[in-house]
Amino acid sequence: MMQLHNLPEAYAKVHLPSKVALAVTGKPDGNYNLITLEWFMRTSIAPPMFAISVGHSRYSHDCLQDVRFFNLVFPSAGQKSLLSLAGSQSGRDIDKFSAGKVLSLPGKLHKLPVLKDAAAVFECEVVSQVKSGDHTIFVGEVKYSWSNPEAEFFYYQ
Ligand SMILES: Cc1cc2nc3c(=O)[nH]c(=O)nc-3n(C[C@H](O)[C@H](O)[C@H](O)COP(=O)(O)O)c2cc1C
């Protein structure tokens, strides 16, 4: 029977398993960062767009304010440990690309890394943003898309 419940109990029903992605951002010093994201979605067919919601406290938030591009990465089954690393450590403290031994090639849009082992990667330019409580929704227009026929998308449990 449907009952009035508190927020954590209701959230538990909509949380896992879920699609989880990574976003590559550009650090102000020219290096790159990675963040694990559950809060993302497609928002336009033509032009193609994705929105990502990034917490104000995240280093990725600083990066996106500075470098107005991101690569949205759909991970493959082999990338679970990278999702954990990118979702628990901050790019303020570590270089997640070297810590996670990430293999990549330079993207075509702003040269942000395209992860070789991912299932798909969308290179996006930030075209708008809106504050949403303690997060900012960055809307990116897809300029280039990559996919790996051998890789299967991974659902986070
Ligand atoms: C499964 C999972 C999903 C997450 N989803 C989001 C999200 O949608 N938005 C966000 O701001 N942080 C999210 N996080 C938290 C960030 O990934 C985490 O705080 C990360 O360490 C931030 O790194 P940064 O400081 O280098 O940006 C998620 C973490 C996990 C493990």
Side-chain angles (χ1 to χ4, degrees):
M1 193 193 20
M2 188 59 90
Q3 293 172 334
L4 189 61
H5 265 150
N6 61 25
L7 207 47
E9 279 161 331
Y11 275 162
K13 300 282 178 196
V14 298
H15 187 48
L16 293 172
S18 66
K19 279 189 182 174
V20 172
L22 292 158
V24 179
T25 55
K27 290 187 180 183
D29 69 3
N31 283 314
Y32 309 108
N33 193 33
L34 276 169
I35 180 172
T36 300
L37 295 175
E38 186 179 351
W39 295 354
F40 66 91
M41 62 178 173
R42 284 178 68 182
T43 57
S44 170
I45 298 166
M49 289 183 174
F50 279 101
I52 60 174
S53 184
V54 180
H56 296 158
S57 64
R58 319 294 191 220
Y59 182 53
S60 300
H61 195 276
D62 296 0
C63 296
L64 283 161
Q65 296 289 20
D66 199 75
V67 180
R68 308 291 285 168
F69 300 91
F70 62 87
N71 286 356
L72 191 62
V73 178
F74 287 76
S76 65
Q79 294 185 302
K80 187 172 183 183
S81 60
L82 184 61
L83 290 170
S84 301
L85 173 79
S88 60
Q89 307 273 329
S90 178
R92 286 192 186 94
D93 309 318
I94 63 159
D95 177 346
K96 298 187 202 180
F97 277 83
S98 57
K101 299 189 173 62
V102 179
L103 302 177
S104 65
L105 53 93
K108 289 172 68 72
L109 178 61
H110 193 69
K111 305 251 183 297
L112 291 183
V114 172
L115 277 58
K116 285 186 177 175
D117 297 327
V121 177
F122 297 89
E123 294 189 73
C124 300
E125 177 172 8
V126 175
V127 291
S128 63
Q129 67 182 67
V130 57
K131 190 169 177 282
S132 173
D134 55 8
H135 281 55
T136 299
I137 299 168
F138 295 92
V139 180
E141 189 173 320
V142 178
K143 300 292 188 179
Y144 296 98
S145 52
W146 304 69
S147 67
N148 182 346
E150 289 110 54
E152 233 175 84
F153 180 72
F154 171 73
Y155 284 88
Y156 201 80
Q157 302 270 354

